[in-house]
Amino acid sequence: MDNNIYDICIIGAGPGGLSAGLYCSRSELKTLIIEKETVGGLITTTTEVENYPGSEKGATGTSLTQRMCEQAEEFGCEFAYDYVSAVEKAEGGYKVVCDMGEYFAKALIISTGSYPNMAGVAGEEEFRGRGVSYCATCDAGFFKGKKVAVIGGGDTAIKEAHYLSRFAGELYVIHRRDELRANISNVRKIEGDENVKVLYSHVPVEIKGEGKVTALTVKSLKEDREYDIELDGVFVFVGYKPNTDFLEGIVDLDEGGYIITNEKMETSAEGIFAVGDVRNTPLRQVITAAADGAVAAVYAEEYIGK
Ligand code: NAP
């Protein structure tokens, strides 16, 4: 039997893909998960995962998804580390074209997640990795006792600001509206952080520095004035974009580029399913991605059986 032929190929090893991998391999389907970087997906860049029921106290995105990965492997799920550049219709299924090889599967489950947006501020690109960061877990340690800003007012921004406040001396949250978008449970956390100050109705204008970040120019929308805040780091958390470029023309996408699915996680293409953050779902959480993975696995199995 050809080693590159599978019943199910899952693209992306975040919680949705890993859950689908567990269900598919446990149903004795020959299952492959292809991952371009590290197992676990975007949740590995967050700190504590408090809202996945049953997870150990203090569980991190990495520890939780590492266990999901082991569980799938225990039932025979295989992993390949490669970058998927295209998906093509083939006889009896689909061909998955990667940088280092090709795979064939009767059905596909797409769980490629999303990647962080840039804020589009002058200097953001220039100082990326030199004071500008998109990952608090990765970079918080560089800012012990220092002054930093977080751009954004959503759940990610506020949750990560709370985490960063343990490291930073002073922290400014720069939010463009006069109320936060984040859920009240996350807002409550920063309310208790004495070193955190939220600048409402402020937009970032320019990240300045010499070799590394030294200041952020902000504009107060209410006062219609610009001023500089001297600081050492700027963390950007202004939402995400789906990883669906390689699927254009293969499955229907919504106006944001997210994959359109029905309640069985079926896409517009027969035999292709989508789960987790990459699909047009009302809630993007580990638990919803994992649940999507289970649903997709069951209906992918049914599809193959037909
Ligand atoms: P989000 O909810 O889309 O929030 C993005 C934030 O960035 C918003 O406050 C937005 O402002 C701001 N923003 C967007 N573009 C900007 C720009 N160019 N300049 C300045 N500010 C900009 O994204 P998210 O916080 O990453 O969350 C994504 C999803 O994951 C959400 O559904 C969220 O609930 C979920 N999530 C949940 C948790 C949890 O603990 N439950 C944690 C993380 C994420 P406006 O508010 O004015 O639009």
Side-chain angles (χ1 to χ4, degrees), residues 51 119 153-156 159 175-177 181 186 238-240 285:
N51 54 2
D155 280 312
T156 307
K159 206 174 160 194
H175 183 44
R176 61 188 180 184
R177 286 186 298 127
R181 178 181 289 277
N186 285 325
V238 294
Y240 294 88
Q285 300 279 288

Side-chain angles (χ1 to χ4, degrees), residues 4-36:
N4 287 353
I5 299 180
Y6 291 85
D7 292 318
I8 306 265
C9 178
I10 298 164
I11 306 175
L18 292 170
S19 154
L22 169 64
Y23 272 74
C24 290
S25 51
R26 195 166 172 270
S27 293
E28 298 185 356
L29 297 170
K30 191 170 177 328
T31 306
L32 173 73
I33 300 183
I34 305 176
E35 168 56 49
K36 71 175 183 339

Side-chain angles (χ1 to χ4, degrees), residues 3-285:
N3 281 338
N4 287 353
I5 299 180
Y6 291 85
D7 292 318
I8 306 265
C9 178
I10 298 164
I11 306 175
L18 292 170
S19 154
L22 169 64
Y23 272 74
C24 290
S25 51
R26 195 166 172 270
S27 293
E28 298 185 356
L29 297 170
K30 191 170 177 328
T31 306
L32 173 73
I33 300 183
I34 305 176
E35 168 56 49
K36 71 175 183 339
E37 281 169 30
T38 35
V39 164
L42 201 61
I43 193 69
T44 59
T45 66
T46 69
T47 43
E48 264 179 80
V49 181
E50 292 175 327
N51 54 2
Y52 189 76
S55 58
E56 302 261 338
K57 193 166 170 51
T60 62
T62 303
S63 67
L64 185 66
T65 50
Q66 193 50 48
R67 179 62 200 130
M68 290 182 185
C69 177
E70 288 162 9
Q71 241 178 317
E73 276 179 324
E74 282 159 19
F75 287 99
C77 184
E78 295 176 37
F79 286 80
Y81 293 89
D82 210 338
Y83 180 83
V84 176
S85 54
V87 161
E88 294 168 12
K89 186 94 190 90
E91 207 191 317
Y94 290 93
K95 184 164 84 174
V96 180
V97 183
C98 301
D99 281 357
M100 292 186 284
E102 290 180 352
Y103 301 90
F104 176 87
K106 294 173 192 163
L108 303 181
I109 298 177
I110 312 295
S111 52
T112 43
S114 55
Y115 61 95
N117 282 332
M118 289 179 70
V121 184
E124 186 177 0
E125 188 85 66
E126 183 185 348
F127 293 108
R128 190 179 186 137
R130 289 186 289 157
V132 172
S133 172
Y134 299 83
C135 175
T137 327
C138 320
D139 297 329
F142 299 123
F143 297 95
K144 280 191 185 134
K146 299 202 169 167
K147 229 168 144 176
V148 299
V150 162
I151 299 175
D155 280 312
T156 307
I158 300 311
K159 206 174 160 194
E160 299 308 305
H162 175 61
Y163 173 70
L164 282 163
S165 71
R166 292 193 227 156
F167 297 81
E170 272 178 76
L171 189 149
Y172 293 92
V173 174
I174 315 294
H175 183 44
R176 61 188 180 184
R177 286 186 298 127
D178 56 9
E179 60 173 356
L180 295 170
R181 178 181 289 277
N183 185 283
I184 191 68
S185 64
N186 285 325
V187 174
R188 289 274 178 263
K189 286 179 187 162
I190 59 158
E191 281 173 355
D193 295 331
E194 284 176 4
N195 56 345
V196 173
K197 185 171 182 194
V198 182
L199 298 181
Y200 290 100
S201 304
H202 273 67
V203 289
V205 175
E206 186 180 357
I207 298 167
K208 294 175 172 172
E210 271 176 43
K212 59 185 182 61
V213 170
T214 57
L216 173 68
T217 308
V218 293
K219 180 175 181 180
S220 161
L221 299 174
K222 291 210 165 141
E223 295 164 23
D224 194 25
R225 76 175 176 105
E226 286 187 13
Y227 60 98
D228 281 3
I229 304 172
E230 280 182 23
L231 41 69
D232 309 283
V234 178
F235 285 81
V236 180
F237 300 114
V238 294
Y240 294 88
K241 274 214 170 59
N243 288 309
T244 49
D245 286 356
F246 70 104
L247 289 169
E248 260 177 58
I250 300 285
V251 296
D252 287 350
L253 307 175
D254 71 9
E255 67 285 352
Y258 292 93
I259 301 172
I260 298 169
T261 63
N262 63 15
E263 62 186 8
K264 295 179 179 175
M265 306 302 141
E266 291 166 327
T267 69
S268 59
E270 230 189 32
I272 303 186
F273 300 77
V275 301
D277 287 10
V278 76
R279 75 179 190 95
N280 63 339
T281 169
L283 186 61
R284 295 191 165 85
Q285 300 279 288

